[in-house]
Amino acid sequence: MSAVDFHARLPPAAGARDDLLRVMDDLGIGRAAVSAGGLVDLDRLSELVGAGAGRSAHRGGRSAVRPVADNDFVLRNTHRSGGRLLPFFFADPATDVAAYAAEAPSYRGLEISPAVHGVRLDDPGVRALVATAEAARHPVYVVCLGRPGTRAADLVTLARAFPAVDFVFGHCGFTGLDVRGLATIAPQPNIVAETSGCFTAVARLALHRLGPDRVLFGTEYPLQHPRVELAKLAALDLAPAVLRKVTSENALRLLGEET
């Protein structure tokens, strides 16, 4: 069974879809869940993520300049991928609640980013988006931060309020070494961890603490080359049955693609 990348991005650029499919072909990745990319440049993104451990880089919990995800670009390009690219709606809780509610049937999942949009996970807009995801049976991808309202514990609170929704703890936390975050989400069964960007030791610990049914392979392409993430899993020397769960079966289950 070919791998399923649970977290890649399509920046709004000519040839982005073909570039991603070419990389997937080279590495034996059959399908990928994709969100909009290119909302902020890397310097700004670094500032926003780094502010999670200290003073917020946002005003009043909201970004001073609102990045806009080109969800329409993602949808057009996934439709032209022969079913290999599965679109996620990248939502700004301040502006996209109605749009996601209207367009949810066209998508396969939802992404919410406290860093990009400066939102807390207890924001009413977040809850409204997740309620739509619940109705659409969409998984919800979230990258937690280190500031109040965006931590792993806040994701657990949200997941408890929506027990029928599958939440994805992006990158196994926001530092690459967020082992405390893994311990925090472990008792909450409707949260799974996605491994892009984390250390090998953290990926191994995710499997130990959550079990092989709650860990997902992802890449954060194009910021990370998928070859690197596949090498990380190979270094874990997992049993074939466990590797299949992590690289494909768990993703297919969450995406409703089980055969």
Side-chain angles (χ1 to χ4, degrees):
M1 182 179 293
S2 58
V4 179
D5 179 354
F6 199 84
H7 187 60
R9 295 196 183 278
L10 273 181
R17 179 194 68 236
D18 292 340
D19 289 344
L20 172 55
L21 289 172
R22 190 176 303 112
V23 171
M24 291 167 60
D25 286 341
D26 288 345
L27 298 173
I29 298 173
R31 281 178 276 186
V34 295
S35 295
L39 279 71
V40 294
D41 64 36
L42 290 183
D43 289 304
R44 178 60 175 157
L45 183 60
S46 176
E47 178 186 358
L48 294 174
V49 172
R55 185 177 61 85
S56 174
H58 302 84
R59 298 176 183 173
R62 300 290 192 181
S63 177
V65 178
R66 303 212 68 81
V68 178
D70 196 341
N71 292 304
D72 289 340
F73 177 85
V74 171
L75 196 59
R76 289 195 307 273
N77 280 273
T78 54
H79 282 171
R80 298 167 185 164
S81 70
R84 296 184 65 193
L85 303 181
L86 308 175
F88 271 46
F89 191 102
F90 196 161
D92 181 344
T95 61
D96 288 334
V97 170
Y100 177 53
E103 299 172 28
S106 298
Y107 290 84
R108 305 300 298 277
L110 170 69
E111 179 175 1
I112 299 170
S113 175
V116 171
H117 292 120
V119 67
R120 292 171 56 103
L121 295 179
D122 57 2
D123 187 292
V126 169
R127 298 226 166 192
L129 289 167
V130 175
T132 296
E134 181 177 37
R137 302 181 69 179
H138 284 171
V140 179
Y141 185 95
V142 180
V143 178
C144 292
L145 299 173
R147 62 175 175 265
T150 69
R151 295 170 177 156
D154 301 298
L155 179 59
V156 169
T157 298
L158 183 62
R160 286 175 179 164
F162 293 92
V165 175
D166 291 308
F167 291 87
V168 181
F169 186 54
H171 312 314
C172 283
F174 82 105
T175 66
L177 194 60
D178 193 2
V179 296
R180 179 175 293 181
L182 289 175
T184 300
I185 69 168
Q188 188 60 34
N190 60 324
I191 303 178
V192 303
E194 179 269 327
T195 61
S196 65
C198 73
F199 288 111
T200 305
V202 175
R204 189 185 301 279
L205 190 59
L207 286 162
H208 174 70
R209 289 185 172 174
L210 306 181
D213 291 328
R214 292 176 59 193
V215 179
L216 296 169
F217 160 69
T219 67
E220 189 63 65
Y221 172 94
L223 293 185
Q224 178 82 308
H225 197 286
R227 191 183 307 278
V228 176
E229 294 299 326
L230 288 169
K232 178 167 68 184
L233 292 182
L236 297 178
D237 195 24
L238 302 175
V242 173
L243 186 63
R244 285 195 301 272
K245 286 177 180 290
V246 173
T247 58
S248 61
E249 292 174 2
N250 294 339
L252 294 175
R253 184 183 72 248
L254 266 63
L255 293 165
E257 292 282 326
E258 286 179 304
T259 57

